[in-house]
Amino acid sequence: MDYFKRQLDLLKIEREEDKRSYLKLTESTSVSDRRAAGLAWYPIAIRGSEMSRGDYLTVEVERTTHQDISHQMRFGTPAALFSNHDPKKDKVEGTITHQNGNRLKITLRTDELPDWARDGKLGIDLLFDDNSYDEMNSALKKAAELGTKEEEGRLVKILTGEKAPTFKKDIPLFHAPKLNASQQQAVEKILRANELAIVHGPPGTGKTTTLVQAIKALVETEHQQILVVAPSNTAVDLLSEKLSDEGLSVLRVGNPARVSERLTSLTLDYQISGHARFKDIRSLKKQANEFKNMAHKYKRSFGKAEREQRKALFEEAHRIMKDVTATENYIIEDLVSRAQVITATLVGANHYTVRDIQYKTVVIDEAGQALEPACWIPLLKSKKVVLAGDHCQLPPTIKSDEAARSGLAVTLLEKCVAHHPESVVLLDEQYRMNEAIMGYSSRIFYHHKLRANEAVRTRVLFPGDMPLAFVDTAGCGFEEKPDGTSSTNPEEAVFLFKHLSQLVSDIVGSIPAEHDILSGFPTIAVISPYKRQIGILQEQLDHSPDLKPYVSKISVNTIDSFQGQERDVVYISMTRSNTEGAIGFLSDIRRMNVAMTRARKKLVVIGDSGTLSQLDFYAGFIEYAEKHGAYHSAWEYMV
């Protein structure tokens, strides 16, 4: 099919760009640079090792310094153990099989640790993730083949727009008192759908709550396992926990991003360790390791008899490990068969433990952020799909501008919403924002259909406060400064914190004297689209003595990092201010939709109307602010 040939071509462009930028980051950089970029742990200490599947060796390591640096070490990603004495020569490749805090387990493609591993200066390097691209490539090819078949390829034809989805006429009446009318309608659509249902969940509309009730209803009506996937570990964790809270038996394949006892108990690793047959595995592994250790005693003895003895000991260790693998497979099959819901990331849905399972229904959450080729991995395992997300918020992260421009940035969710409006239910009641904060977003992105729940509709920080403000810096001389590929505006940052300090003073004044100020203090986010501006904003916060007592309540970060989050107060530093009216990637209005819909009680946007008004979206927002009495000139505060 031409459709999939196009996807394969775009994926190839993306893979090449991703690999090029990875090599640029790693080939000629020092270990400290790789560590700073989140691509290496160094130094590390080995805390234990044991034989594992396929006679490979699993090593547990701990990073002993620089533990506060964020990193990209994740379950399932390829990595290498290396020695910094000679990193080009002394390294063994493998796969991260567990990551928790400052410890991880890596299964190495060897059956024993090399000699250099005893000499210190060890580290773990993240390798380029060819495996994910191979999985996506393979899924696209299988989908293309399946799409040529009449009955088996029905879902493929519907998702590519060739056929229309169908729905059951009669289903038993569904009622969940926790859900509002549109949420209820979404669950009914999911239960009626034979192949495709779409839940369009704008910010604050309870998409997760709706999905959990729908999955519960599917388990009860279809009496089959459901596969629930999402592009990020964070989204998978949230659903896994909520589904478990509803009393469903959940099996989480892979490593949770957030370490909590509750989440850990849902993982396959944890459930294997609690299985009745696990003591057999422990005892067999102990025997195998004993034989292997005996074999190592002959390592530097090279007589014929010693070599043969060493070989016999290794063979016995390998034979025992085959029994371990067989017992492990039995336990995994037993646990998987008893789970009502399997949860994983998109690529994790093809993990060896669940690779061959077919499902009646797959649910893809956060589908608005999912790369289409990755979606085909779980889609091939099912006859029916539920897509949930919001294509009016941030799209997937794509490394290649060419691939993004040529169509890779258009998600399967977007295409299906366009092809099959009869499958879509919009969740239209939001529980997060004051209606003045919500209004412009509702008009531009959701055709005026979004409404605020009564409990939040008029909610403000304190009596008499305004929920919305646009502060116009035009004519103040706050010129942006180019900074590499980013932009900064130091004067705007200084002004923002002056404005915030005044607001904090008003908040403190509104808290009754007998109340503890910090416990009643609102949460505040200061965000900007530009990474370099974030650095300057953080410096301003660090040097604001008035805000020091409340610093635990204030977060500073990029817009992208706040998707899915909310705060009582949100400040947005728009940063761009120039005579040419150039606004760069501020023209991605979906990013601004995310930014403007994080606030519960107050949204303050600070920017230059002269520059921003070059785009209709911002001109319209400034006009909206004027109509709501929320427009202010920065000059009003220049006293």
Side-chain angles (χ1 to χ4, degrees), residues 64-83:
T64 50
T65 66
H66 300 82
Q67 294 178 339
D68 56 332
I69 297 177
S70 62
H71 60 87
Q72 297 171 43
M73 304 285 170
R74 301 285 180 268
F75 169 84
T77 51
L81 174 72
F82 70 89
S83 158

Side-chain angles (χ1 to χ4, degrees), residues 618-636:
Y618 295 108
F621 174 69
I622 294 163
E623 193 183 310
Y624 175 83
E626 284 171 338
K627 276 186 186 159
H628 282 75
Y631 174 89
H632 305 274
S633 166
W635 287 106
E636 295 172 33

Side-chain angles (χ1 to χ4, degrees), residues 319-373:
R319 187 195 63 72
I320 293 168
M321 283 311 294
K322 281 185 180 158
D323 291 342
V324 168
T325 301
T327 309
E328 226 172 49
N329 287 343
Y330 165 79
I331 293 174
I332 288 164
E333 279 174 35
D334 185 38
L335 290 170
V336 167
S337 68
R338 284 191 273 153
Q340 292 171 307
V341 183
I342 307 280
T343 63
T345 57
L346 297 166
V347 178
N350 236 13
H351 190 251
Y352 76 88
T353 51
V354 290
R355 184 181 285 271
D356 299 322
I357 302 176
Q358 288 294 311
Y359 308 85
K360 186 172 178 186
T361 302
V362 59
V363 176
I364 303 180
D365 191 20
E366 300 295 0
Q369 285 192 280
L371 210 56
E372 179 175 345

Side-chain angles (χ1 to χ4, degrees), residues 183-359:
Q183 292 170 337
Q184 188 109 357
Q185 197 189 341
V187 177
E188 282 165 5
K189 179 77 76 176
I190 289 166
L191 294 175
R192 283 180 50 231
N194 289 318
E195 306 92 3
L196 173 67
I198 299 168
V199 180
H200 182 187
T205 54
K207 172 177 61 71
T208 304
T209 303
T210 308
L211 270 190
V212 167
Q213 292 304 316
I215 292 162
K216 194 177 173 188
L218 283 169
V219 167
E220 286 168 7
T221 56
E222 293 183 354
H223 307 294
Q224 282 192 25
Q225 242 173 18
I226 310 282
L227 174 64
V228 177
V229 290
S232 73
N233 276 302
T234 311
V236 177
D237 290 351
L238 178 65
L239 274 168
S240 301
E241 218 163 10
K242 301 265 188 201
L243 288 163
S244 175
D245 288 344
E246 281 291 322
L248 292 169
S249 152
V250 177
L251 187 64
R252 166 73 159 101
V253 175
N255 243 164
R258 186 163 44 81
V259 182
S260 78
E261 207 176 310
R262 187 65 201 275
L263 262 175
T264 306
S265 69
L266 304 177
T267 63
L268 189 56
D269 279 358
Y270 180 91
Q271 293 187 28
I272 287 172
S273 68
H275 195 276
R277 292 284 305 274
F278 184 68
K279 60 181 184 298
D280 301 346
I281 288 182
R282 224 176 3 221
S283 144
L284 286 165
K285 276 188 177 175
K286 193 178 173 193
Q287 285 177 44
N289 280 315
E290 280 166 5
F291 279 115
K292 197 179 73 162
N293 290 338
M294 284 158 68
H296 282 145
K297 288 176 184 168
Y298 294 102
K299 194 154 192 179
R300 287 181 173 78
S301 308
F302 293 105
K304 184 171 184 291
E306 285 85 0
R307 263 202 302 270
E308 290 198 352
Q309 182 64 14
R310 184 172 191 256
K311 187 182 172 207
L313 288 164
F314 266 126
E315 280 173 356
E316 185 57 20
H318 292 160
R319 187 195 63 72
I320 293 168
M321 283 311 294
K322 281 185 180 158
D323 291 342
V324 168
T325 301
T327 309
E328 226 172 49
N329 287 343
Y330 165 79
I331 293 174
I332 288 164
E333 279 174 35
D334 185 38
L335 290 170
V336 167
S337 68
R338 284 191 273 153
Q340 292 171 307
V341 183
I342 307 280
T343 63
T345 57
L346 297 166
V347 178
N350 236 13
H351 190 251
Y352 76 88
T353 51
V354 290
R355 184 181 285 271
D356 299 322
I357 302 176
Q358 288 294 311
Y359 308 85

Side-chain angles (χ1 to χ4, degrees), residues 380-426:
L380 293 172
K381 300 173 180 295
S382 181
K383 298 280 188 288
K384 168 177 170 175
V385 61
V386 177
L387 297 175
D390 184 10
H391 50 289
C392 303
Q393 292 188 63
L394 284 175
T397 302
I398 295 171
K399 300 276 169 65
S400 163
D401 290 341
E402 184 192 344
R405 274 196 314 271
S406 305
L408 195 60
V410 183
T411 59
L412 192 61
L413 175 68
E414 264 178 281
K415 292 175 186 175
C416 288
V417 166
H419 291 317
H420 307 302
E422 70 276 30
S423 290
V424 183
V425 174
L426 173 77

Side-chain angles (χ1 to χ4, degrees), residues 496-497 500 524-528 530-542 547 551 553-559 561-562 567 571 573:
L496 185 151
F497 275 93
L500 175 56
I524 299 170
V526 177
I527 60 182
S528 171
Y530 293 96
K531 273 187 183 165
R532 296 269 194 256
Q533 182 72 349
I534 291 303
I536 290 173
L537 290 163
Q538 185 62 57
E539 276 173 32
Q540 284 297 315
L541 176 60
D542 295 343
L547 299 177
V551 80
K553 298 281 193 170
I554 305 171
S555 332
V556 178
N557 218 326
T558 59
I559 292 170
S561 70
F562 275 101
R567 296 289 188 275
Y571 272 78
S573 167

